[in-house]
């Protein structure tokens, strides 16, 4: 009851709104589909596959290949470290939140990736996407008090099943239906982003990555507006769950 009261009294920041997370989820799906269709058939949003491939390479005695997988894993690790260290010093400037700045950084990285020639190694894109996805995953943690991941779907599928079961057993509790639908919307956002990415990739090739930049720039403008206007006096308030 105490926790519920704290949540009810807590001001929900713009960076914690569900629609923000859905847009970030669409970006996650978009980038995942892009790296798979246009950059070597790999997914860079999470590291499970890289850890598995590292292990398989070690077990097969393919040492040089195993060493390669340390590169994207290290990029992901570095992104997590940076996203933990930077926010505290930045908040003292009372200008923009780290969450807002991160979205701007993501947009810039994605725009740059669109200028990379097709002849350049795929690994450049892999490392860059690993890096920004790591920071996004570690920065945007909860949407209106509900833990959310914005770069992959596994937990959303799990939570969909959990809250569907709870809703079926306890129809009198509307919160179960709300949670169920929230995770469904997140999954649909991811799928939508991936579908659009794959469609555009067949039309404009590697320039399709700029579609993710459009989403990020829209989101960046929204978060900037919140930081500079209605949430200007709330810069010391941390997003819930941090």
């Amino acid at each position: 009851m105490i926790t519920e009261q704290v949540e009810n009294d807590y001001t929900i920041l713009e960076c914690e709104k569900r629609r923000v997370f859905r847009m970030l989820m669409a970006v996650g799906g978009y980038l995942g589909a892009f790296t798979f269709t246009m950059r070597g058939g790999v997914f860079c949003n999470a590291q499970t596959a890289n850890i598995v491939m590292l292990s398989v390479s070690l077990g097969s005695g393919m040492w040089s290949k195993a060493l390669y997988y340390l590169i994207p894993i290290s990029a992901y690790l570095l992104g997590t470290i940076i996203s933990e260290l930077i926010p505290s010093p930045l908040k003292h400037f009372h200008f923009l939140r780290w969450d807002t700045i991160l979205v701007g950084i993501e947009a810039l990285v994605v725009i740059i990736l669109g200028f990379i020639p097709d002849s350049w190694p795929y690994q450049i894109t892999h490392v860059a996407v690993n890096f920004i996805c790591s920071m996004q995953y570690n920065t945007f943690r909860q949407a209106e008090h509900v833990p959310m991941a914005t770069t992959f779907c596994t937990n959303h599928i799990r939570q969909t099943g959990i809250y569907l079961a709870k809703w079926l057993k306890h129809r009198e509790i509307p919160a179960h239906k709300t949670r169920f639908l929230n995770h469904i919307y997140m999954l649909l956002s991811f799928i939508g982003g991936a579908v659009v990415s794959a469609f555009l990739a067949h039309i404009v090739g590697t320039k399709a990555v700029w579609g993710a930049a459009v989403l990020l720039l829209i989101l960046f403008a929204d978060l900037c507006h919140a930081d500079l206007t209605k949430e200007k006096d709330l810069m010391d308030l941390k997003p819930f769950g941090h």
Side-chain angles (χ1 to χ4, degrees):
M1 293 297 295
I2 295 176
T3 300
E4 291 179 0
Q5 185 61 45
V6 170
E7 290 186 359
N8 291 334
D9 294 341
Y10 182 84
T11 300
I12 296 175
L13 300 169
E14 188 71 15
C15 61
E16 299 175 284
K17 298 289 181 65
R18 291 170 186 166
R19 57 184 175 78
V20 169
F21 275 67
R22 288 168 191 163
M23 187 170 287
L24 287 171
M25 194 70 171
V27 171
Y30 197 105
L31 291 175
F34 175 78
T35 58
F36 184 82
T37 57
M38 303 303 299
R39 285 292 185 248
V42 300
F43 297 106
C44 299
N45 298 27
Q47 294 306 297
T48 302
N50 283 329
I51 293 293
V52 171
M53 294 306 298
L54 170 66
S55 304
V56 170
S57 298
L58 289 174
S60 303
M62 295 183 289
W63 312 115
S64 59
K65 191 173 183 180
L67 286 174
Y68 162 72
Y69 287 109
L70 291 177
I71 298 174
I73 292 171
S74 297
Y76 202 90
L77 178 63
L78 180 61
T80 301
I81 294 171
I82 290 176
S83 63
E84 280 292 317
L85 294 177
I86 288 182
S88 293
L90 280 179
K91 72 178 182 181
H92 297 298
F93 291 99
H94 289 82
F95 178 56
L96 293 177
R97 289 185 175 280
W98 162 245
D99 313 67
T100 304
I101 294 172
L102 171 59
V103 172
I105 292 172
E106 285 193 67
L108 178 61
V109 170
V110 170
I111 290 171
I112 293 173
L113 289 178
F115 287 107
I116 293 179
D118 293 348
S119 59
W120 287 22
Y122 292 158
Q123 287 79 3
I124 297 174
T125 300
H126 296 170
V127 169
V129 173
N130 273 305
F131 183 69
I132 61 176
C133 281
S134 171
M135 291 197 293
Q136 179 179 309
Y137 173 49
N138 193 49
T139 299
F140 292 88
R141 301 180 184 181
Q142 293 198 21
E144 300 182 26
H145 312 312
V146 180
M148 293 279 185
T150 59
T151 57
F152 52 87
C153 296
T154 305
N155 188 56
H156 292 295
I157 295 173
R158 171 178 169 269
Q159 294 294 339
T160 296
I162 289 173
Y163 283 100
L164 175 58
K166 289 184 176 182
W167 178 37
L168 293 175
K169 289 192 298 182
H170 305 285
R171 294 294 184 92
E172 72 281 4
I173 304 178
H176 295 333
K177 179 182 178 180
T178 300
R179 288 284 186 97
F180 162 69
L181 291 175
N182 283 341
H183 289 289
I184 286 291
Y185 294 147
M186 292 289 281
L187 288 170
L188 290 176
S189 297
F190 192 93
I191 292 170
V195 168
V196 173
S197 177
F199 175 75
L200 291 179
H202 289 298
I203 298 175
V204 297
T206 55
K207 303 302 182 187
V209 72
W210 285 337
V214 172
L215 294 176
L216 288 166
L217 288 172
I218 293 172
L219 186 54
F220 179 67
D222 175 46
L223 295 176
C224 278
H225 180 264
D227 288 351
L228 299 174
T229 57
K230 62 182 179 180
E231 295 180 1
K232 187 175 181 179
D233 297 327
L234 300 175
M235 297 303 289
D236 287 328
L237 186 63
K238 287 185 178 181
F240 200 79
H242 282 249

